[in-house]
Amino acid sequence: MAPAVQKIALSASRDIPFNKLVLSQSNVRRLKAGVSIDELAEDIARRGLLQSLNVRPVLDDDGTETGMFEIPAGGRRYRALELLVKAKRLNKTAPVPCVVREARTDISAEEDSLAENAHRAALHPLDQFRAFRTLRDQGLTEEEIAARFFVSTAIVKQRLKLVTVSETLLNAYAEDEMTLDQLMAFTVSSDHARQEQVWESVQHSWSKEAYQIRRMLTENTVRASDRRVRFVTTDAYEAAGGIVLRDLFQDDDGGWIENVPLLEQLVADKLKAEAEAIAREGWKWIEVAADFPYGHTRGLRSITGTSADLTEDERAQREALRNELDELEAEYAEADELPDEVDARLGEIEDALEAFESRPVHYDPAEIPRAGAFVSIRHDGQLSVDRGYVRPEDEVAVGDTEGNTHGGEDGAGDPTGTVQRTVITIGGEQSGQDDDEDVVKPLPERLLTELTAHRTLALRDALASNPHVAMTALIHKLVRDTFQHVSSTGCLEASVRHIFFSVQAEDLKDSASAKAIDERQEAWQADLPTDDDALWAKIDGLDDASRMALLAHCVSFGVNALYEKANPYGAGPTTHGVQQRIHEADRLARAVGLDMVAVGWRPTVDNYLGRVTKPRILEAVREAKNEATAQLIDHLKKGDMAKEAERLLADSGWLPEPLRLAPLDADVAEQPDDETDTLPAFLTEDDEAEDEEQQPVAAE
């Protein structure tokens, strides 16, 4: 028969008056740790005693119970109660819940005290974080939570921030797969998918420190200390709907700006507004950028302005400020640290004196209409305006008079009596200053280059498929080299220089022309040997059709039908060079019968319609359909109009002018270098205007 299991007898619990309790010398806790006695007393006063005291009867010398009880476990709670009694917030005879150990037991009081403290399991930090969140969900504020648990409000905010991390990462932290420092690093981003992506990439890596996690989470952001952010201010950015990523666990220098395109737009808008205000001074041009490269004023003449003289009162005020500054500096020269009010006053004086030194500069009214200014952002986020620079093409010609320059505040030099309009360039793109939406403005230069890159690629593909035209083009070049001496190469040399596209649309690489050229290139490359002698033998052994096809393929890589902005300083294409290039490209396109519709180009929001003004969109619909169709969408906003126009033009065969095949009667004979060719309409405007709704594009 199995022996009976001996049942355990628990110690009895009862209420004992406070004045019958005394501290035991057997309590093993000697060092202060955790919540202070004062804070514990406040907590007991608010919510009552949550845990009973562990007590034993006090015996006299004869072993008889005296009616008093000592406390080997629960001494801090007793001291907190004692403070409440002394403050008369608790009666000294108030009953205290106690677990009473028998006087005579084999277990010592020291062992009970040690067991109570040693067997206590500390609350897991994640449990505390989640408990704080629950309290907040129950309606408590962060300040109330902090007051009730005797921590700072900042700590509560930190704990609450931790539980905003992805649940997947919280579980990893709970399973000790992640350290607290790593978990804290993930709080800089609120994107759970991105958090999990970063953790997936670093958890098995040798480099998974907290700083590495923060760097990966903020790699596509901008520091709040960046000059652009300081220029527009984080308040304006957040008011526009932007999010600032913050790190509550270390100094983040203001955090990180998450929405960089929004920041760039705010910077551009504010700089444009500042530039428009400066334009009212009468400058011919203003260039705007967040920052200009070193040497951006090279080649420009700087005109000298004069600062307005100080009045007698202003001179006296400046002298008084200088004297006060000298007195304060002398008085506190030996001080280790300046008083706050003195430090503040010194700052005010320095700012006032600096204002006297940076007074507005006045320029010669005759110079302003031909000069310009640079508007940018200083390193400290303040606006920087550098006025008074004249470009070489704006200099007065020898023998000309001041009266022949148009402009000025009253338009005195202009026979029409009109005032010139300042040309504001933002990020390399001109910004129109009128709001006339009915004007069909010239196409932006970048869009022209992107469109003509499409045409160039299609023209290469067409030429490679037409050996007869390719041979004609090559022979034509050789004849010009031999008889006209227009080539810089030797008289017996002929070469094809591969033209690359520095500016191109995103869809260029996926076009039918690009794929056809790549396939042809790969096919020839696989068939041609790399050894030079073997290559000669291979070409020599090809039949005439294959030789012509290979020739056409090679010649096609030299086709350059790109529109590029002419450089007036001679470094790059000249105006005549671009004109001649477009003229020859039209002739070549007619020879090969190039049809951009047939090669797959269609007007879309991304490649054209979203890049031009509303009048341009309506003009396209009107040409492809009719006036009635254009009127159906003329009331729409720019974005909606572009989308609807894309649908209407999808199968219409409409092309923008740079992609159209020039008619034969528009062709003109080649002109000598000192004459000017006739250009298509889209190239005849000297000044292009960017769509006011398009974001600024950085200069190439």
Side-chain angles (χ1 to χ4, degrees), residues 218-233:
T218 59
E219 61 186 353
N220 294 321
T221 63
V222 173
R223 278 280 189 181
S225 57
D226 186 275
R227 70 173 71 191
R228 294 167 294 175
V229 183
R230 298 170 72 179
F231 177 63
V232 301
T233 73

Side-chain angles (χ1 to χ4, degrees), residues 436-698:
D436 188 357
E437 295 187 353
D438 296 329
V439 177
V440 178
K441 301 175 183 178
L443 294 177
E445 287 182 358
R446 184 184 179 93
L447 178 58
L448 273 175
T449 306
E450 290 181 5
L451 291 174
T452 51
H454 270 285
R455 188 184 190 221
T456 299
L457 206 59
L459 192 54
R460 288 181 183 178
D461 185 35
L463 183 64
S465 302
N466 195 323
H468 178 79
V469 176
M471 178 64 79
T472 303
L474 178 59
I475 294 174
H476 175 263
K477 179 182 185 302
L478 294 176
V479 168
R480 294 189 69 189
D481 290 348
T482 304
F483 294 97
Q484 302 176 11
H485 304 290
V486 296
S487 174
S488 60
T489 59
C491 64
L492 296 180
E493 292 186 15
S495 63
V496 175
R497 182 170 62 89
H498 192 161
I499 306 301
F500 294 94
F501 308 130
S502 60
V503 175
Q504 56 181 275
E506 293 183 358
D507 60 343
L508 184 65
K509 64 179 182 298
D510 297 322
S511 64
S513 301
K515 293 177 180 177
I517 291 173
D518 291 342
E519 290 174 2
R520 189 182 301 111
Q521 175 79 358
E522 292 172 1
W524 276 115
Q525 194 164 4
D527 194 45
L528 295 174
T530 56
D531 179 74
D532 188 59
D533 292 336
L535 177 62
W536 176 272
K538 176 70 176 179
I539 296 174
D540 187 53
L542 292 175
D543 58 65
D544 288 345
S546 298
R547 286 161 59 88
M548 293 292 286
L550 178 58
L551 172 64
H553 177 69
C554 295
V555 169
S556 71
F557 279 91
V559 171
N560 183 1
L562 290 173
Y563 167 79
E564 294 180 274
K565 184 177 181 180
N567 191 325
Y569 305 111
T574 63
T575 301
H576 174 74
V578 175
Q579 294 171 351
Q580 184 67 20
R581 177 191 301 173
I582 298 299
H583 165 67
E584 292 184 4
D586 288 340
R587 183 178 61 202
L588 196 59
R590 285 195 303 273
V592 298
L594 177 65
D595 183 353
M596 291 299 296
V597 176
V599 300
W601 194 92
R602 299 289 185 275
T604 67
V605 173
D606 292 333
N607 69 13
Y608 183 81
L609 299 169
R611 312 277 299 281
V612 298
T613 58
K614 292 172 66 175
R616 281 275 184 186
I617 300 175
L618 294 173
E619 182 183 53
V621 175
R622 192 177 296 112
E623 291 179 356
K625 300 292 183 178
N626 49 52
E627 178 63 34
T629 305
Q631 290 179 2
L632 292 177
I633 65 171
D634 64 358
H635 66 285
L636 298 177
K637 293 183 178 180
K638 167 70 178 297
D640 295 333
M641 180 185 290
K643 292 178 182 178
E644 188 63 18
E646 178 179 333
R647 183 185 66 82
L648 293 171
L649 299 176
D651 299 317
S652 66
W654 181 88
L655 293 171
E657 190 175 353
L659 300 186
R660 298 174 188 174
L661 185 63
L664 186 61
D665 56 3
D667 195 12
V668 295
E670 295 182 25
Q671 302 289 336
D673 288 350
D674 57 350
E675 296 185 19
T676 302
D677 289 317
T678 302
L679 283 178
F682 67 90
L683 293 180
T684 57
E685 297 286 348
D686 291 333
D687 295 328
E688 63 156 348
E690 183 60 280
D691 177 11
E692 63 274 6
E693 297 184 44
Q694 179 182 342
Q695 294 185 2
V697 179

Side-chain angles (χ1 to χ4, degrees), residues 59 158 194 309 325 432 496:
L59 305 179
Q158 290 176 346
R194 178 58 179 158
D309 292 335
L325 179 65
V496 175

Side-chain angles (χ1 to χ4, degrees), residues 60-78:
D60 59 16
D61 295 339
D62 296 332
T64 305
E65 294 186 8
T66 63
M68 301 295 290
F69 296 85
E70 64 175 349
I71 308 170
R76 298 182 71 253
R77 277 162 279 157
Y78 172 80

